[in-house]
């Protein structure tokens, strides 16, 4: 277990002092706490002075009487401990709060919610799910929080059906006249589209292509902004011998989101060969590149020329990119095209290693970076926020 930091201990120290004073005044409301000895407080101080931070933390937590006045302090301790990864201690604090029969229902329900968060952090999803479902029955005040946490939980357990049901129920309760609720509703529709895509890919993996198609079509009804449903539908078209339809869908997707083209360019090239449209595809990339400078598109276009043996034109495309918006990927591509007359295999390999060392994807929300693409950021759980840095 990590050592508690000084700030947390200082907070505990002050809170125990204040809490104990308040607790004395409120002792008549919770007889069990009346006799809570302040000796734990002094014991904690001794541990702190001796540098035994873990023992000090435990003693301070035990010293603080639980009553309606100190309740928020306990909740804050528990939440801090959970955020520090000390989930076992957070669970102990919140379970101890729930065992107090004299606390008002509203505070018990809050402890209930915090305990559910602890269980989620500990990976005990079944227990968290039951707590949150109970809370939905018990408390009007915690409906919003409980539903949001349940949705997060269903995302984590990849239960897309339940995630959809709950998000749809949130959506039906939203008031479109309220600007905040309107924005939340737009966000909920986007999420529903992603859930349907996840479910569609699960069905596709299980070779249930009709169910996968139905889910991907449903994703399109929630929002027209995402290219993901088009990519899935195109894959299903290919599997069901409809290459022309697949090609058209992917071309639509490329025009909608040129920045996502690298994620499905291999699929688009393969299907363009089947329907004899490779030239047309090259023309599309030329058009997209004329609309926005993007080193990824430049590399795709250079590859298109190289594929038909026109390395001179490919090199020209890369050189222009190096001039306008240099990146290590473009430099590596240039070295590869210049070949052994200019760069030895070791130099090209070195450049490739340099490119590989840079993170291929970066989340625009939390800064998570890694070599693989995910529709949902593994760091902050936001959807469609990973992109390829253009450096
Ligand atoms: Zn993120």
């Amino acid at each position: 277990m990590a050592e508690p930091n000084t700030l947390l201990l200082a907070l505990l120290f002050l809170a125990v002092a204040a809490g104990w004073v308040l607790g004395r005044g409120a002792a008549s409301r919770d007889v069990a706490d009346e006799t809570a000895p302040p000796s734990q407080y002094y014991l904690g101080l001794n541990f702190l002075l001796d540098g035994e931070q873990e023992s000090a933390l435990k003693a301070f937590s035990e010293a603080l009487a639980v009553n309606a006045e100190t309740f928020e302090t306990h909740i804050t301790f528990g939440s801090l401990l959970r955020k520090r990864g000390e989930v076992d201690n957070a669970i102990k604090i919140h379970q101890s709060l729930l065992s107090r029969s004299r606390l008002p229902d509203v505070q018990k329900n809050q402890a209930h919610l915090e305990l559910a968060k602890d269980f989620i952090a500990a990976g005990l999803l079944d227990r968290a799910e039951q707590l949150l479902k109970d809370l939905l029955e018990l408390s009007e005040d915690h409906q919003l929080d409980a539903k949001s946490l349940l949705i997060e939980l269903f995302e984590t357990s990849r239960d897309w059906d339940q995630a959809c049901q709950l998000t749809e129920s949130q959506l039906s309760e939203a008031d479109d006249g309220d600007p905040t609720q309107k924005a939340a509703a737009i966000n909920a529709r986007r999420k529903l589209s992603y859930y349907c895509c996840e479910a569609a890919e699960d069905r596709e993996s299980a070779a249930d292509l009709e169910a996968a198609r139905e889910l991907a079509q449903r994703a399109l009804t929630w929002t027209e902004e995402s290219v993901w449903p088009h990519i899935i539908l195109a894959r299903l078209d290919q599997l069901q011998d409809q290459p022309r339809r697949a090609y058209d869908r992917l071309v639509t997707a490329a025009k909608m989101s040129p920045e996502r083209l690298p994620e499905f360019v291999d699929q688009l090239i393969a299907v363009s060969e089947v329907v004899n449209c490779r030239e047309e595809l090259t023309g599309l990339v030329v058009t997209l590149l004329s609309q926005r400078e993007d080193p990824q598109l430049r590399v795709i276009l250079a590859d298109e020329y190289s594929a038909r043996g026109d390395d001179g034109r490919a090199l020209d495309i890369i050189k222009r990119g190096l001039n306008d918006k240099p990146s290590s990927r473009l430099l590596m591509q240039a070295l590869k095209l210049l070949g052994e007359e200019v760069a030895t295999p070791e130099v090209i390999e070195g450049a490739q290693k340099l490119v590989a060392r840079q993170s291929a994807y970066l989340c625009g929300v939390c800064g998570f970076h890694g070599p693989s693409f995910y529709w949902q950021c593994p760091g902050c759980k936001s959807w469609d926020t990973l992109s390829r840095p253009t450096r």
Side-chain angles (χ1 to χ4, degrees), residues 352-371:
Q352 266 165 343
K353 279 183 187 161
L354 194 66
V355 171
R357 216 193 290 164
Q358 291 180 339
S359 293
Y361 294 96
L362 180 70
C363 172
V365 173
C366 73
F368 170 89
H369 52 90

Side-chain angles (χ1 to χ4, degrees), residues 247 250-251 254-255 257-262 264-266 268-269 272 277-305 308 313 317-318 320:
Y247 176 78
L250 292 176
V251 167
K255 288 176 182 167
S257 272
E259 70 282 1
R260 285 274 170 255
L261 179 56
F264 58 91
V265 70
D266 291 342
L268 181 51
I269 288 172
S272 75
C277 283
R278 187 74 184 261
E279 288 269 350
E280 191 184 294
L281 169 60
T282 309
L284 172 69
V285 183
V286 170
T287 308
L288 295 177
L289 190 58
S290 70
Q291 289 162 353
R292 66 195 292 271
E293 175 53 45
D294 179 340
Q296 302 300 326
L297 289 178
R298 217 164 254 289
V299 169
I300 290 171
L301 184 57
D303 283 346
E304 280 299 284
Y305 290 132
R308 58 180 67 114
R313 205 158 173 196
I317 292 289
I318 296 295
R320 257 184 277 160

Side-chain angles (χ1 to χ4, degrees), residues 8 11 71-82 94:
L8 176 61
L11 184 67
F71 176 83
E72 284 300 334
T73 312
H74 280 273
I75 289 286
T76 307
F77 285 173
S79 157
L80 273 169
L81 287 167
R82 183 176 61 244
H94 296 133

Side-chain angles (χ1 to χ4, degrees), residues 362-369 376-383 385-386:
L362 180 70
C363 172
V365 173
C366 73
F368 170 89
H369 52 90
Q376 185 180 29
C377 171
C380 65
K381 309 294 174 196
S382 301
W383 291 91
T385 54
L386 291 192

